[in-house]
Each structure stands twice: as C-alpha cells, then as structure tokens.
Amino acid sequence: KQEVTQIPAALSVPEGENLVLNCSFTDSAIYNLQWFRQDPGKGLTSLLLIQSSQREQTSGRLNASLDKSSGRSTLYIAASQPGDSATYLCAVPLSGSARQLTFGSGTQLTVLP
Amino acid sequence: NAGVMQNPRHLVRRRGQEARLRCSPMKGHSHVYWYRQLPEEGLKFMVYLQKENIIDESGMPKERFSAEFPKEGPSILRIQQVVRGDSAAYFCASSEQGSGNTIYFGEGSWLTVV
C-alpha cells in the first residue's frame, strides 16, 4: 500500500524567500509524481508532472525533483510571493495502477507580504 | 479550452435525500476520476471510469454510492440516502488516454448534509 507524507504540514515565510516543500512515498515503483496547488474552497491546479524516468521538471519559479530510489520529491519555489499562498499537494499513482492517485496531506504555505 | 466542469458547486441535502453530482471532462479526455475530500482529511480516490465502463471502483463505499459515465453527457456521481458523514468536497478529474498523462481536476462540488 502506497503512503505519501508531506513535511512540513504548514510553513510561513516572508515574501521573496526561496523555499522547499518535501514529499516522501513508501513504494518507489511509481509511474510518475504530480504536484498540485489547492486554494481554499477551490479545486486542484496541476503544477508539475514528473515521469518516473525524469529527475526534475521546471515551470517558471517552480522546480520539482524526483528521487525514486529514496522515495522522495521536493518542490522548490523561488522568490516566493503572497500569491503563492495555498496548500501544496503531491500525489503518486497507487502501486500497480497508473490511474489511482494517492495524495499526501499537503503543506499549507503562507507567504507574508 | 474549458477545464473540467463540475456542477453544482454547492449542494445542500437533508438526510435521506439523494445527491447527484455531475462532471464534464476536458475536451478530448476519455478518462474520468472521482475523489472525495472529507473535512480535515486528504483526497481519497473513489472511482475511475471510461465511457460506458467502470474501470476501478475500489475506493467507492459499498452501499449508496454509484457512478456512471454514459456515452453521451457528463459523468454522474450519485449518492442515495445521504447521511451527515457524506458531507465533503467531491472532485472530478480527467485525463487523456494512456498512463503517464497529467490529471486535471475540476473545482469540486461541496455537499452539505443537514
């Protein structure tokens, strides 16, 4: 059974700071890993998808890395802005299935102006 | 290109009533998924469907819950005889055919059972 853990559960930083969010998973036999953002009362916005064959993906100020062997992924946010405040979720397909995603409980990020 | 469309966004039902949640996937997407987010809990997979087929319903409660994705029209998540514990946000997601594709989520349907 796949379990996904995200640390820290909550993070508060001043504007402009670079930060790293962590995600770990117990079963390294994954097809890919996806990072999402969720704003309060809203749905999930896909940020980055890393295939199992990739080490990292970049989109703007976001960079996600994947280390399958250690069961870890990080989401790096450069030059954080108040608009980045949200809950960040990582998700991996359930072992043996490329479809069913197992989500972490998320990191609630607050960027202070 | 519209994203995943869900309606209603908010639904209030009395205990014992039925709730129907609808989801239209992104254009060109043939795979639909339903997830539930209970208060103070993470997202949990419920069911995975393709047109006219349920592929994986391992996350669906055994009773009162059903899902369909007909040949024409949106996917429907149906909850019969709702109870207070069904109060949650229900998210629909879709993807293109084939594994490894990005899964896109809708804005969710918030069900409150009173």
Side-chain angles (χ1 to χ4, degrees):
Chain A
K1 178 186 175 185
Q2 181 74 273
E3 292 183 4
V4 180
T5 304
Q6 291 188 246
I7 294 173
L11 181 63
S12 183
V13 300
E15 182 177 3
E17 193 162 298
N18 302 325
L19 57 100
V20 175
L21 307 180
N22 297 292
C23 172
S24 61
F25 44 94
T26 53
D27 189 335
S28 61
I30 62 172
Y31 291 88
N32 55 52
L33 183 144
Q34 198 164 347
W35 281 94
F36 295 90
R37 166 187 173 141
Q38 185 176 26
D39 293 281
K42 299 284 187 180
L44 279 68
T45 300
S46 178
L47 298 174
L48 290 163
L49 172 72
I50 312 178
Q51 302 292 352
S52 60
S53 59
Q54 297 175 318
R55 298 281 294 183
E56 64 179 75
Q57 278 282 356
T58 298
S59 176
R61 295 183 291 109
L62 305 179
N63 176 277
S65 68
L66 175 63
D67 184 344
K68 277 185 58 177
S69 60
S70 66
R72 292 180 182 179
S73 176
T74 62
L75 180 66
Y76 174 82
I77 302 177
S80 58
Q81 302 171 357
D84 294 332
S85 298
T87 296
Y88 290 81
L89 299 160
C90 69
V92 295
L94 186 67
S95 306
S97 166
R99 300 296 181 172
Q100 183 184 138
L101 295 179
T102 300
F103 280 85
S105 54
T107 294
Q108 187 174 349
L109 173 66
T110 302
V111 180
L112 303 169
Chain B
N1 184 16
V4 178
M5 304 300 291
Q6 290 188 246
N7 69 83
R9 288 295 315 282
H10 299 276
L11 182 64
V12 179
R13 284 287 179 265
R14 296 187 183 278
R15 280 178 294 173
Q17 291 184 319
E18 178 179 289
R20 284 196 180 212
L21 310 178
R22 289 175 290 279
C23 169
S24 296
M26 285 181 71
K27 187 176 180 180
H29 287 192
S30 56
H31 300 249
V32 166
Y33 319 84
W34 285 94
Y35 285 78
R36 178 166 66 173
Q37 188 172 39
L38 292 165
E40 307 304 323
E41 292 190 22
L43 278 127
K44 304 293 184 187
F45 168 82
M46 298 182 75
V47 62
Y48 160 39
L49 311 104
Q50 295 179 25
K51 283 286 186 181
E52 301 184 278
N53 286 304
I54 296 174
I55 307 302
D56 180 354
E57 57 181 349
S58 57
M60 288 279 271
K62 295 288 184 263
E63 297 177 345
R64 302 187 297 108
F65 284 72
S66 62
E68 63 177 10
F69 189 17
K71 186 176 180 180
E72 301 291 337
S75 174
I76 306 285
L77 179 67
R78 182 184 179 200
I79 311 171
Q80 295 178 288
Q81 300 175 330
V82 295
V83 301
R84 288 233 172 99
D86 296 333
S87 296
Y90 292 83
F91 290 97
C92 174
S94 72
S95 70
E96 292 179 319
Q97 190 171 0
S99 62
N101 288 303
T102 300
I103 294 177
Y104 296 90
F105 280 77
E107 292 280 283
S109 290
W110 266 257
L111 172 64
T112 301
V113 179
V114 297

